[in-house]
DNA sequence: CTGAAAGCGCTTACAG
DNA sequence: CTGAAAGCGCTTACAG
């Protein structure tokens, strides 16, 4: 049978519309731009013609002519991670309401893929880019792009050594608040689980705990800072090592929620119920613990809020031309889902071999 | 201080590159397209000039001239849902390796937003679109777009009445397999929880259960098909109603994983442990139960695989010009995470007032 | 291999 | 309000 030569296969342009409507192509263009200068009669004829010929606006041509773009690029390290997915949704809200379209791409935590994606977006002429950097991104990887004419704002992860505008969560304040919460419940010894001291999250979050304890006249014992991979298995392992220490604390803070997950697993493996027998605090940023572990008390950064804030900042840079690097902080709030005070309570705790806390 | 007049503010074009390299702009264009016809000397001078002036390729201009596009649109109903996020990642893999760039957008389950996003993508001249429809999308909402020249493939959700190519999970087969699994564990009565009979998922999935029971010489009792909203609260409610029925089954299948979540909640509320006291099967498609309820046995459709398959099909349509609507099925496999046989076991089951099963 | 020229689909002054 | 004309940054035959 073969396909017949299709006379309509060439996409209609404003010229076709103009012909059908019986006006000039300037008029069509004016109508498309909703310019009120066009007479109502001409306008409706054009609109009818557009429908009739099945015209679809070629925004790339328009952008080329106007040498501007209505697109903003969002480069996310991992859409699969609900924190970043929700953040992207927040960005979308703002970007959309500002009349831009969002081009979203994801790097899967690959630095090479990130470079490709960034170039692609730049070649496509986006007006600005929000980048949530892939793990392992070095300042040098981004330097060239940061120097270019299109504004790039970093979200969530900061890159030491890069002069860039970055929106990060207020990790120290969140951690501090969580620690005060635990102290308020009566815990005078609190452990720290997971992560490694050479990362900025570890330092910042642990410092919140340290400071809060110091302010309350308590001592943070370094022995109870248990390092591990910042993963769920890491959390299991760290909790195991903590529980092996005689007279260990019955409260801990975890470097992130993956570790908190694992710590809960480890706790249950030892016959303890998190949030009842042992106070445990996580940070909502890796696994979306929000929905998954209802009993877990967490320091939460609202991902949508981060997204909205970041997008606002990018839009501002685009319109103002401002390029001074700046670090912006979004609030982290404590979400208490299980209280676990009375750390001296007997019962399962005692059964697990823990020494009651001293007040 | 004010910003100084920036002499380099105008983005460099191939003309600037040509000037610096001392060649014609045709040559620059040839180099950019990696055309081997250019002499090595000219090529390296051009490459150097590109770096020197900070040239970035304007792909929109190129696309306009060539009247083709290197972009593919992915419209997702909810990136926040890990199933769809992973699906998008699968799509990205294929799209990328085929040399396209992916423009991803999300509709947040809003039909109006979906219409806007689709139009935007079409205006941006994408070569094809993959659409995972927003809940409540009617065939009529998409009819106009489907008739257009750019191929659109639907993913995951099919729209009855729309002549479109759709990639869906093999719900019936998955459901059938799950039912056989429960039967193999010794259950001769199985309940059905959640959803409403006027949806195609409900019908397809329930039919898998019905058929499997019939094949095993068992009777599916309609009284144990408990309708409810396909949500977590709906699941709680449906499970509650089931448990209120005297002599109810100790196994059920749930219309989706949100309901399965709720059913677990309901079970625990009644002092029963899902996967130990009561066999429960969900479908991995709404809430990403994969990670969240480790004890839940599910019928899983690999979201990445769906994404890859869908993208392949779209790419094929783009290159072949084929437009015949077609329904493609991707396999669903049973993921057993908790076995719960011996449905006549006493203990907590009896305590909850359930009558032991008869074999 | 290079240069001059036309054209992709739009917008934008500028006369009428 | 409309038409003719130039130009956005590229590609593409087509002579040289």
């Amino acid at each position: 049978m073969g396909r017949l030569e299709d006379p309509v296969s060439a996409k209609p342009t404003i010229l076709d519309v103009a012909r059908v409507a019986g006006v000039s192509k300037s008029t069509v263009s004016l109508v498309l731009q909703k310019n009120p200068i066009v007479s109502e009669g001409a306008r409706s004829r054009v609109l009818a013609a557009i429908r009739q010929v099945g015209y679809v606006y070629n925004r790339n041509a328009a952008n080329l002519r106007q040498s501007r773009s209505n697109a903003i690029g969002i480069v996310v390290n991992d859409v699969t991670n609900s924190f970043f997915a929700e953040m992207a949704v927040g960005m979308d809200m703002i970007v959309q309401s500002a009349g831009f379209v969002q081009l979203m791409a994801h790097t899967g935590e690959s630095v090479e893929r990130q470079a490709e994606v960034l170039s692609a977006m730049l070649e496509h002429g986006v007006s600005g880019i929000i980048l949530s950097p892939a793990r392992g991104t070095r300042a040098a990887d981004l330097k060239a792009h940061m120097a270019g004419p299109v504004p790039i704002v970093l979200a969530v992860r900061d890159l030491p050594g890069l002069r860039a505008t970055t929106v990060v969560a207020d990790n120290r304040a969140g951690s501090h608040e969580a620690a005060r919460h635990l102290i308020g419940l009566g815990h005078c010894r609190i452990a720290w689980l997971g992560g490694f001291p050479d990362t900025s999250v570890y330092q910042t979050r642990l410092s919140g705990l340290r400071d809060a304890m110091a302010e309350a006249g308590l001592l943070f014992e370094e022995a109870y800072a248990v390092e591990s991979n910042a993963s769920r298995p890491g959390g299991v392992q760290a909790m195991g090592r903590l529980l092996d220490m005689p007279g260990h604390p019955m409260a801990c803070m975890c470097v992130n929620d993956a570790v908190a997950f694992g710590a809960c697993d480890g706790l249950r493996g030892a016959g303890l119920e998190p949030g009842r027998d042992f106070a445990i605090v996580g940070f909502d940023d890796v696994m979306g613990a929000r929905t998954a572990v209802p009993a877990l008390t967490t320091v939460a950064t609202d991902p949508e809020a981060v997204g909205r804030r970041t997008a606002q900042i990018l839009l501002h840079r685009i319109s103002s031309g401002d390029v001074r690097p700046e670090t912006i902080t979004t609030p982290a709030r404590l979400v208490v889902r299980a209280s676990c005070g009375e750390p001296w309570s007997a019962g399962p705790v005692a059964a697990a071999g823990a020494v009651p806390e001293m007040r």
Side-chain angles (χ1 to χ4, degrees), chain A residues 71-131:
Chain A
I72 283 188
I74 314 271
V75 180
V76 177
N77 52 316
D78 186 5
V79 254
T80 278
N81 179 319
S82 68
F83 182 90
F84 293 105
E86 284 173 35
M87 184 184 73
V89 169
M91 292 173 179
D92 191 48
M93 292 176 49
I94 300 301
V95 161
Q96 172 202 352
S97 64
F100 286 86
V101 311
Q102 182 193 84
L103 308 189
M104 190 166 147
H106 113 127
T107 61
E109 303 287 10
S110 150
V111 178
E112 303 86 58
R113 180 88 184 103
Q114 175 171 280
E116 292 171 18
V117 157
L118 283 174
S119 302
M121 292 206 156
L122 260 9
E123 292 185 354
H124 275 279
V126 295
S127 306
I129 292 180
I130 297 176
L131 170 63

Side-chain angles (χ1 to χ4, degrees), chain A residues 34-48:
Chain A
K34 307 200 193 309
N35 191 321
I37 211 179
V38 189
S39 69
E40 190 46 48
R43 218 182 71 87
S44 58
R45 266 179 303 148
V46 167
L47 259 21

Side-chain angles (χ1 to χ4, degrees), chain A residues 8 10-13 16-18 20-21 47-56:
Chain A
V8 207
K11 289 201 202 141
T13 73
D16 301 301
V17 174
V20 171
L47 259 21
I50 283 178
R51 211 146 316 163
Q52 185 182 328
V53 303
Y55 169 76
V56 13

